[in-house]
Amino acid sequence: MAFRSTDSYIVSEQLASAVNAAVTLQKPLLLKGEPGTGKTRLAQELATSLGTNLIQWSIKSTTKAQQGLYEYDAVSRLRDSQLGSDKVHDISNYIRPGKLWQAFTAEQRPVLLIDEIDKADIEFPNDLLHELDQMAFHVYETGEHIEAKQRPIVLITSNNEKALPDAFLRRCFFHFIQFPDEDTLAQIAQVHFPDLQQKLLNEALGMFFELRHTPGLKKKPSTSELLDWLRLLLAEDISAQQLAESRQRQSAMPLTGALLKHEQDVELIERLRRVN
């Protein structure tokens, strides 16, 4: 397998090498980087390029590691016993496979995405160490031993909201997605908007990077926000000349709601514009 950029998805050589290395080593690929740099999209594109299924486990603050293996629905079993259902005699009727179980038993080697692992409790990664290392687990209620038919390709994303345990990090291949440079962003934009005029793209990227480099921003605009902004510029038929004039006059950027997500950042940009 050699994962690389496609006509519809641009990746850096470093990121492509990281994916291929993790697959070769049969280790989970831990991806970090600021939100909006395409960590989740990478898993989708990898599954598409391999012609396989993507199994996505989106982590929340309340998610427990056990839910990735299976859940035992004791409430339904109690209700069925009260109703006299014959189902209660087979406890497997109340075992609900989780995302890891689904990935382990898939007929075709899937891509398993554990998305935003740092949202969960600090013990969450440690609770998955054995299962991700051995690719197997035990179902205590039924006595079953679930073992992967073939090791799924595991991608794990983190936005660095919490530090991850060293024992967990040792079992992963790590890659930090750097924010794309202007040339790479131009390629990404052209993939999404093939009819975008070069002059408009150049002006938009110039304004975008000036905004990103503004000191004191609480949240810098990301790749996904740039694409939203470009879509709006095209929808509103804003020309490269209009952007250039706005830039020269130090006037407000059009449609900044697609780029700035905090009122403090909006106020900061307005204050700097008035000073200049």
Side-chain angles (χ1 to χ4, degrees):
M1 190 196 99
F3 180 69
R4 58 176 65 90
S5 295
T6 67
D7 293 338
S8 61
Y9 184 68
I10 305 297
V11 294
S12 66
E13 290 184 10
Q14 294 83 358
L15 179 53
S17 295
V19 172
N20 295 325
V23 172
T24 299
L25 294 173
Q26 296 189 350
K27 287 190 171 186
L29 173 60
L30 174 60
L31 294 169
K32 290 189 178 183
E34 62 182 87
T37 48
K39 299 186 292 295
T40 302
R41 176 77 186 276
L42 172 64
Q44 298 167 347
E45 293 294 334
L46 178 58
T48 299
S49 70
L50 296 175
T52 191
N53 292 324
L54 171 66
I55 298 175
Q56 183 169 344
W57 186 15
S58 298
I59 307 303
K60 302 177 182 179
S61 60
T62 56
T63 303
K64 302 300 180 185
Q66 178 65 32
Q67 293 172 300
L69 307 180
Y70 67 92
E71 291 184 90
Y72 168 50
D73 190 353
V75 174
S76 292
R77 192 181 188 200
L78 175 61
R79 184 187 62 244
D80 287 346
S81 68
Q82 293 171 338
L83 296 174
S85 173
D86 290 337
K87 287 174 60 179
V88 298
H89 301 300
D90 185 357
I91 198 171
S92 65
N93 290 323
Y94 305 96
I95 301 294
R96 297 177 179 175
K99 299 297 185 180
L100 268 69
W101 188 329
Q102 295 172 31
F104 288 178
T105 57
E107 292 299 326
Q108 184 180 2
R109 186 186 193 189
V111 173
L112 171 63
L113 171 62
I114 303 176
D115 203 16
E116 299 188 328
I117 193 171
D118 51 327
K119 281 188 175 180
D121 183 86
I122 188 63
E123 291 303 320
F124 179 89
N126 280 335
D127 292 342
L128 287 178
L129 284 179
H130 176 79
E131 287 75 16
L132 289 178
D133 198 32
Q134 300 299 317
M135 289 290 163
F137 63 90
H138 188 71
V139 183
Y140 296 100
E141 288 80 1
T142 64
E144 291 178 87
H145 181 72
I146 305 299
E147 188 170 350
K149 294 181 178 180
Q150 59 269 316
R151 295 182 73 94
I153 299 171
V154 182
L155 272 64
I156 303 171
T157 70
S158 169
N159 290 327
N160 257 350
E161 293 181 9
K162 294 190 187 83
L164 299 174
D166 288 345
F168 180 80
L169 295 175
R170 283 198 301 272
R171 288 165 169 80
C172 299
F173 188 93
F174 172 74
H175 181 76
F176 184 87
I177 299 180
Q178 299 286 348
F179 193 82
D181 59 21
E182 190 163 341
D183 289 341
T184 304
L185 269 187
Q187 293 179 53
I188 293 171
Q190 287 164 346
V191 163
H192 287 267
F193 309 106
D195 297 327
L196 183 64
Q197 292 183 354
Q198 190 64 47
K199 287 184 178 180
L200 177 59
L201 177 58
N202 291 343
E203 286 294 337
L205 287 176
M207 296 182 78
F208 174 79
F209 275 101
E210 283 180 7
L211 185 61
R212 266 190 66 87
H213 295 154
T214 302
L217 280 184
K218 184 174 182 179
K219 183 189 181 304
K220 296 180 180 181
S222 67
T223 305
S224 62
E225 287 150 354
L226 170 64
L227 296 176
D228 287 343
W229 187 49
L230 290 174
R231 188 182 304 278
L232 289 173
L233 293 180
L234 292 172
E236 296 295 326
D237 200 23
I238 294 175
S239 67
Q241 183 178 351
Q242 287 174 284
L243 282 186
E245 290 173 354
S246 171
R247 199 173 177 186
Q248 290 167 1
R249 294 195 306 265
Q250 298 279 329
S251 58
M253 291 174 63
L255 304 165
T256 51
L259 298 171
L260 299 176
K261 304 299 182 179
H262 291 279
E263 61 273 17
Q264 300 98 307
D265 291 343
V266 174
E267 292 169 0
L268 172 63
I269 297 301
E270 285 295 315
R271 188 164 61 250
L272 292 174
R273 183 177 63 82
R274 289 194 296 269
V275 170
N276 295 329

